[in-house]
Amino acid sequence: MLLTIDCGNTNTVFSIWDGTRFIATWRTSTEHQRTADQYYVWLSTLIDARKLSVQITDVIISSTVPRVVFNLRVLCNRYFDCRPLVVGKPECALPVDVRVDPGTQVGPDRLVNTVAGFDLYGGDLIVVDFGTATTFDVVDNDGAYVGGVIAPGVNLSLEALHAAAAALPHVDVTKPERVVGTNTVACMQSGVFWGYVGLVNGICDRIKAERDRPMRVIGTGGLAPLFATGEALFDDIQDDLTMHGLRIIHEHNKDET
């Protein structure tokens, strides 16, 4: 079975692919000091709790936190007796081209989303990912990654607002009942929610104008369904887009060997 691992700045997601479907997905906070043994105890406990019969034979990793990759490699070598594929490393081939400025390093998560988006929807896409950062990735008509946009993430913006203004509290991200708030919390929620709706709409419109062609917009990340309630921002939402992309990249590399 294949274990796919997506390590982001805030959370790390583990999913198990049995050859036909993902049979389990778990999420934990990203901590660079977590050891391979701790990962294994945590993962094996969850597998046992689900009463799953699992034998991991292959692993693929996408990580935006380089310090975490070492312990994940040790996990694979020590407990699964395999060498993991790591997206972004020379030995991990991609089924799509990357057309950016020479010397530019593209985040592995953005490449994985590009692969998944093209596999599911074809080309001419904008993939909007609500993570620690809010990213917009542009997929050409042949599936190539051709650049994008990086904006501060929703929760990051809220934390910065709270840290910089002592009188402003922590608030949850939610759709407010009205645009004009009548208390501090409602005002902050309206600013964040409708501000990001405007951000997504505005950036996607400018990308479409610059590309001068119809483009579909795909939302992913935990907050994508929430922001889709504000306006018709997305043509579709895919919660497991990154995991799907990791599986496709793994299959591509298996076919290459």
Side-chain angles (χ1 to χ4, degrees):
M1 294 184 182
L2 172 67
L3 176 64
T4 61
I5 304 175
D6 173 35
C7 178
N9 289 292
T10 304
N11 293 311
T12 301
V13 182
F14 294 72
S15 288
I16 297 175
W17 175 260
D18 71 353
T20 58
R21 63 189 179 94
F22 283 106
I23 60 173
T25 297
W26 299 285
R27 184 181 303 266
T28 185
S29 58
T30 299
E31 298 176 3
H32 72 269
Q33 68 270 27
R34 185 172 293 166
T35 66
D37 300 329
Q38 289 173 316
Y39 276 120
Y40 181 73
V41 170
W42 172 80
L43 187 60
S44 59
T45 300
L46 291 171
I47 290 172
D48 290 343
R50 291 278 297 272
K51 295 182 170 59
L52 297 173
S53 178
V54 171
Q55 184 176 2
I56 303 298
T57 58
D58 297 275
V59 180
I60 183 167
I61 300 168
S62 168
S63 177
T64 58
V65 187
R67 288 188 296 176
V68 174
V69 174
F70 174 78
N71 284 326
L72 290 175
R73 284 185 181 272
V74 175
L75 168 72
C76 299
N77 293 332
R78 181 177 297 169
Y79 290 105
F80 305 135
D81 193 27
C82 71
R83 179 182 176 87
L85 269 175
V86 180
V87 179
K89 298 299 182 182
E91 65 272 16
C92 182
L94 297 176
V96 299
D97 289 335
V98 180
R99 301 188 191 125
V100 294
D101 294 340
T104 300
Q105 290 189 333
V106 181
D109 55 331
R110 306 180 74 182
L111 298 176
V112 173
N113 285 346
T114 296
V115 170
F118 182 65
D119 182 72
L120 292 172
Y121 302 100
D124 289 327
L125 298 179
I126 304 170
V127 180
V128 185
D129 190 350
F130 291 88
T132 305
T134 301
T135 58
F136 300 74
D137 298 314
V138 180
V139 184
D140 209 346
N141 56 8
D142 63 349
Y145 174 84
V146 293
V149 176
I150 301 175
V154 178
N155 288 312
L156 189 63
S157 296
L158 281 171
E159 290 171 10
L161 191 61
H162 170 73
L168 297 181
H170 283 292
V171 299
D172 294 329
V173 183
T174 187
K175 181 183 178 181
E177 293 182 4
R178 296 181 297 176
V179 175
V180 179
T182 54
N183 58 70
T184 301
V185 170
C187 290
M188 293 176 66
Q189 289 175 332
S190 184
V192 170
F193 182 85
W194 292 111
Y196 271 85
V197 168
L199 174 80
V200 173
N201 262 331
I203 289 179
C204 288
D205 285 347
R206 288 179 179 273
I207 290 173
K208 293 174 183 177
E210 186 171 279
R211 301 284 292 170
D212 193 25
R213 67 186 70 175
M215 302 187 75
R216 282 179 290 183
V217 181
I218 309 303
T220 189
L223 292 175
L226 171 64
F227 283 96
T229 64
E231 291 184 14
L233 294 179
F234 310 115
D235 295 295
D236 198 9
I237 294 175
Q238 282 287 337
D239 290 335
D240 59 350
L241 189 70
T242 304
M243 291 298 150
H244 181 78
L246 285 172
R247 180 181 67 82
I248 295 298
I249 293 172
H250 177 264
E251 290 178 356
H252 176 73
N253 280 268
K254 283 293 185 182
D255 292 341
E256 292 287 308
T257 58

